[in-house]
PDB file of all heavy atoms in Angstrom:
ATOM      1  N   MET A 382      15.976  16.297  -2.813  1.00  0.00           N
ATOM      2  CA  MET A 382      17.349  16.065  -2.907  1.00  0.00           C
ATOM      3  C   MET A 382      18.034  17.321  -3.293  1.00  0.00           C
ATOM      4  O   MET A 382      18.341  17.551  -4.470  1.00  0.00           O
ATOM      5  CB  MET A 382      17.644  15.007  -3.937  1.00  0.00           C
ATOM      6  CG  MET A 382      16.829  13.713  -3.650  1.00  0.00           C
ATOM      7  SD  MET A 382      17.142  12.359  -4.742  1.00  0.00           S
ATOM      8  CE  MET A 382      16.531  12.949  -6.337  1.00  0.00           C
ATOM      9  N   ASP A 383      18.310  18.222  -2.401  1.00  0.00           N
ATOM     10  CA  ASP A 383      18.898  19.526  -2.736  1.00  0.00           C
ATOM     11  C   ASP A 383      20.314  19.669  -2.273  1.00  0.00           C
ATOM     12  O   ASP A 383      20.794  19.056  -1.360  1.00  0.00           O
ATOM     13  CB  ASP A 383      18.023  20.604  -2.084  1.00  0.00           C
ATOM     14  CG  ASP A 383      18.269  21.959  -2.675  1.00  0.00           C
ATOM     15  OD1 ASP A 383      18.645  22.109  -3.869  1.00  0.00           O
ATOM     16  OD2 ASP A 383      17.959  23.024  -2.082  1.00  0.00           O
ATOM     17  N   GLY A 384      21.069  20.517  -2.978  1.00  0.00           N
ATOM     18  CA  GLY A 384      22.470  20.810  -2.624  1.00  0.00           C
ATOM     19  C   GLY A 384      23.504  20.354  -3.500  1.00  0.00           C
ATOM     20  O   GLY A 384      24.743  20.481  -3.304  1.00  0.00           O
ATOM     21  N   ASN A 385      23.150  19.663  -4.636  1.00  0.00           N
ATOM     22  CA  ASN A 385      24.175  19.183  -5.603  1.00  0.00           C
ATOM     23  C   ASN A 385      25.082  20.314  -6.092  1.00  0.00           C
ATOM     24  O   ASN A 385      26.299  20.034  -6.157  1.00  0.00           O
ATOM     25  CB  ASN A 385      23.493  18.492  -6.749  1.00  0.00           C
ATOM     26  CG  ASN A 385      22.706  17.283  -6.419  1.00  0.00           C
ATOM     27  OD1 ASN A 385      22.791  16.806  -5.293  1.00  0.00           O
ATOM     28  ND2 ASN A 385      21.977  16.734  -7.371  1.00  0.00           N
ATOM     29  N   GLY A 386      24.452  21.389  -6.500  1.00  0.00           N
ATOM     30  CA  GLY A 386      25.253  22.468  -7.167  1.00  0.00           C
ATOM     31  C   GLY A 386      26.226  23.049  -6.136  1.00  0.00           C
ATOM     32  O   GLY A 386      27.411  23.218  -6.531  1.00  0.00           O
ATOM     33  N   ARG A 387      25.763  23.339  -4.959  1.00  0.00           N
ATOM     34  CA  ARG A 387      26.665  23.963  -3.976  1.00  0.00           C
ATOM     35  C   ARG A 387      27.788  23.014  -3.551  1.00  0.00           C
ATOM     36  O   ARG A 387      28.879  23.390  -3.394  1.00  0.00           O
ATOM     37  CB  ARG A 387      25.855  24.405  -2.666  1.00  0.00           C
ATOM     38  CG  ARG A 387      25.183  25.669  -2.909  1.00  0.00           C
ATOM     39  CD  ARG A 387      24.063  25.946  -1.871  1.00  0.00           C
ATOM     40  NE  ARG A 387      22.913  25.038  -2.119  1.00  0.00           N
ATOM     41  CZ  ARG A 387      21.993  24.758  -1.264  1.00  0.00           C
ATOM     42  NH1 ARG A 387      22.144  25.279  -0.048  1.00  0.00           N
ATOM     43  NH2 ARG A 387      21.005  23.986  -1.584  1.00  0.00           N
ATOM     44  N   TRP A 388      27.413  21.721  -3.450  1.00  0.00           N
ATOM     45  CA  TRP A 388      28.430  20.702  -3.131  1.00  0.00           C
ATOM     46  C   TRP A 388      29.563  20.799  -4.084  1.00  0.00           C
ATOM     47  O   TRP A 388      30.759  20.757  -3.706  1.00  0.00           O
ATOM     48  CB  TRP A 388      27.738  19.335  -3.169  1.00  0.00           C
ATOM     49  CG  TRP A 388      28.602  18.166  -2.837  1.00  0.00           C
ATOM     50  CD1 TRP A 388      28.811  17.544  -1.567  1.00  0.00           C
ATOM     51  CD2 TRP A 388      29.443  17.372  -3.743  1.00  0.00           C
ATOM     52  NE1 TRP A 388      29.556  16.461  -1.627  1.00  0.00           N
ATOM     53  CE2 TRP A 388      30.029  16.427  -2.928  1.00  0.00           C
ATOM     54  CE3 TRP A 388      29.738  17.466  -5.138  1.00  0.00           C
ATOM     55  CZ2 TRP A 388      30.945  15.446  -3.531  1.00  0.00           C
ATOM     56  CZ3 TRP A 388      30.651  16.484  -5.620  1.00  0.00           C
ATOM     57  CH2 TRP A 388      31.191  15.525  -4.904  1.00  0.00           C
ATOM     58  N   ARG A 396      28.844  22.351 -11.616  1.00  0.00           N
ATOM     59  CA  ARG A 396      27.639  21.809 -10.960  1.00  0.00           C
ATOM     60  C   ARG A 396      27.245  20.435 -11.326  1.00  0.00           C
ATOM     61  O   ARG A 396      26.724  19.686 -10.560  1.00  0.00           O
ATOM     62  CB  ARG A 396      26.461  22.836 -11.289  1.00  0.00           C
ATOM     63  CG  ARG A 396      26.544  24.157 -10.698  1.00  0.00           C
ATOM     64  CD  ARG A 396      25.403  25.027 -11.178  1.00  0.00           C
ATOM     65  NE  ARG A 396      24.100  24.467 -10.773  1.00  0.00           N
ATOM     66  CZ  ARG A 396      23.506  24.614  -9.646  1.00  0.00           C
ATOM     67  NH1 ARG A 396      24.110  25.339  -8.681  1.00  0.00           N
ATOM     68  NH2 ARG A 396      22.421  24.083  -9.382  1.00  0.00           N
ATOM     69  N   HIS A 400      25.634  16.874  -9.535  1.00  0.00           N
ATOM     70  CA  HIS A 400      24.502  16.015  -9.819  1.00  0.00           C
ATOM     71  C   HIS A 400      24.932  14.594 -10.061  1.00  0.00           C
ATOM     72  O   HIS A 400      24.247  13.695  -9.676  1.00  0.00           O
ATOM     73  CB  HIS A 400      23.877  16.512 -11.210  1.00  0.00           C
ATOM     74  CG  HIS A 400      23.286  17.927 -11.157  1.00  0.00           C
ATOM     75  ND1 HIS A 400      22.430  18.263 -10.075  1.00  0.00           N
ATOM     76  CD2 HIS A 400      23.390  19.013 -11.852  1.00  0.00           C
ATOM     77  CE1 HIS A 400      22.038  19.497 -10.230  1.00  0.00           C
ATOM     78  NE2 HIS A 400      22.578  19.990 -11.298  1.00  0.00           N
ATOM     79  N   ALA A 426      13.570  14.887  -8.174  1.00  0.00           N
ATOM     80  CA  ALA A 426      14.749  14.956  -9.004  1.00  0.00           C
ATOM     81  C   ALA A 426      14.821  16.161  -9.914  1.00  0.00           C
ATOM     82  O   ALA A 426      15.899  16.657 -10.167  1.00  0.00           O
ATOM     83  CB  ALA A 426      14.866  13.739  -9.841  1.00  0.00           C
ATOM     84  N   PHE A 427      13.652  16.653 -10.309  1.00  0.00           N
ATOM     85  CA  PHE A 427      13.616  17.800 -11.250  1.00  0.00           C
ATOM     86  C   PHE A 427      12.176  18.478 -11.167  1.00  0.00           C
ATOM     87  O   PHE A 427      11.178  17.867 -11.452  1.00  0.00           O
ATOM     88  CB  PHE A 427      13.899  17.370 -12.696  1.00  0.00           C
ATOM     89  CG  PHE A 427      14.044  18.472 -13.699  1.00  0.00           C
ATOM     90  CD1 PHE A 427      15.268  19.065 -13.906  1.00  0.00           C
ATOM     91  CD2 PHE A 427      12.980  18.986 -14.376  1.00  0.00           C
ATOM     92  CE1 PHE A 427      15.445  20.125 -14.772  1.00  0.00           C
ATOM     93  CE2 PHE A 427      13.113  20.040 -15.305  1.00  0.00           C
ATOM     94  CZ  PHE A 427      14.368  20.605 -15.456  1.00  0.00           C
ATOM     95  N   ASN A 431      12.505  23.929 -12.429  1.00  0.00           N
ATOM     96  CA  ASN A 431      13.940  23.773 -12.822  1.00  0.00           C
ATOM     97  C   ASN A 431      14.151  23.909 -14.326  1.00  0.00           C
ATOM     98  O   ASN A 431      15.299  24.125 -14.701  1.00  0.00           O
ATOM     99  CB  ASN A 431      14.450  22.334 -12.373  1.00  0.00           C
ATOM    100  CG  ASN A 431      14.603  22.177 -10.846  1.00  0.00           C
ATOM    101  OD1 ASN A 431      14.415  21.128 -10.290  1.00  0.00           O
ATOM    102  ND2 ASN A 431      14.979  23.293 -10.170  1.00  0.00           N
ATOM    103  N   ARG A 434      16.484  26.830 -15.377  1.00  0.00           N
ATOM    104  CA  ARG A 434      17.968  26.755 -15.286  1.00  0.00           C
ATOM    105  C   ARG A 434      18.562  26.826 -16.698  1.00  0.00           C
ATOM    106  O   ARG A 434      17.852  26.535 -17.771  1.00  0.00           O
ATOM    107  CB  ARG A 434      18.340  25.415 -14.650  1.00  0.00           C
ATOM    108  CG  ARG A 434      17.921  25.350 -13.228  1.00  0.00           C
ATOM    109  CD  ARG A 434      18.410  24.175 -12.514  1.00  0.00           C
ATOM    110  NE  ARG A 434      18.025  24.289 -11.066  1.00  0.00           N
ATOM    111  CZ  ARG A 434      18.601  23.656 -10.028  1.00  0.00           C
ATOM    112  NH1 ARG A 434      19.618  22.901 -10.273  1.00  0.00           N
ATOM    113  NH2 ARG A 434      18.046  23.823  -8.844  1.00  0.00           N
ATOM    114  N   GLU A 438      22.559  22.849 -18.359  1.00  0.00           N
ATOM    115  CA  GLU A 438      22.440  22.151 -17.104  1.00  0.00           C
ATOM    116  C   GLU A 438      21.162  21.158 -17.237  1.00  0.00           C
ATOM    117  O   GLU A 438      21.305  19.983 -16.784  1.00  0.00           O
ATOM    118  CB  GLU A 438      22.204  23.042 -15.923  1.00  0.00           C
ATOM    119  CG  GLU A 438      22.043  22.256 -14.631  1.00  0.00           C
ATOM    120  CD  GLU A 438      22.182  23.099 -13.269  1.00  0.00           C
ATOM    121  OE1 GLU A 438      22.698  24.162 -13.380  1.00  0.00           O
ATOM    122  OE2 GLU A 438      21.743  22.630 -12.294  1.00  0.00           O
ATOM    123  N   ILE A 442      21.275  17.166 -16.871  1.00  0.00           N
ATOM    124  CA  ILE A 442      20.505  16.396 -15.903  1.00  0.00           C
ATOM    125  C   ILE A 442      19.727  15.300 -16.539  1.00  0.00           C
ATOM    126  O   ILE A 442      19.704  14.130 -16.103  1.00  0.00           O
ATOM    127  CB  ILE A 442      19.626  17.394 -15.100  1.00  0.00           C
ATOM    128  CG1 ILE A 442      20.463  18.303 -14.215  1.00  0.00           C
ATOM    129  CG2 ILE A 442      18.582  16.577 -14.272  1.00  0.00           C
ATOM    130  CD1 ILE A 442      19.625  19.353 -13.526  1.00  0.00           C
TER     131      ILE A 442
HETATM  132  C1  IPE B1248      19.121  19.666  -6.461  1.00  0.00           C
HETATM  133  O1  IPE B1248      20.367  20.324  -6.389  1.00  0.00           O
HETATM  134  C2  IPE B1248      18.990  18.978  -7.806  1.00  0.00           C
HETATM  135  C3  IPE B1248      18.114  19.594  -8.803  1.00  0.00           C
HETATM  136  C4  IPE B1248      17.336  20.627  -8.471  1.00  0.00           C
HETATM  137  C5  IPE B1248      18.092  19.047 -10.124  1.00  0.00           C
HETATM  138  P1  IPE B1248      20.565  21.786  -6.888  1.00  0.00           P
HETATM  139  O2  IPE B1248      21.065  21.804  -8.291  1.00  0.00           O
HETATM  140  O3  IPE B1248      19.353  22.650  -6.650  1.00  0.00           O
HETATM  141  O4  IPE B1248      21.758  22.300  -5.936  1.00  0.00           O
HETATM  142  P2  IPE B1248      21.921  23.723  -5.285  1.00  0.00           P
HETATM  143  O5  IPE B1248      20.710  23.977  -4.413  1.00  0.00           O
HETATM  144  O6  IPE B1248      22.120  24.678  -6.348  1.00  0.00           O
HETATM  145  O7  IPE B1248      23.076  23.560  -4.387  1.00  0.00           O
END
Side-chain angles (χ1 to χ4, degrees):
M382 309 184 290
D383 197 22
N385 294 351
R387 280 163 288 163
W388 181 94
R396 291 176 58 85
H400 295 313
F427 188 87
N431 289 147
R434 297 187 177 203
E438 177 167 343
I442 288 173

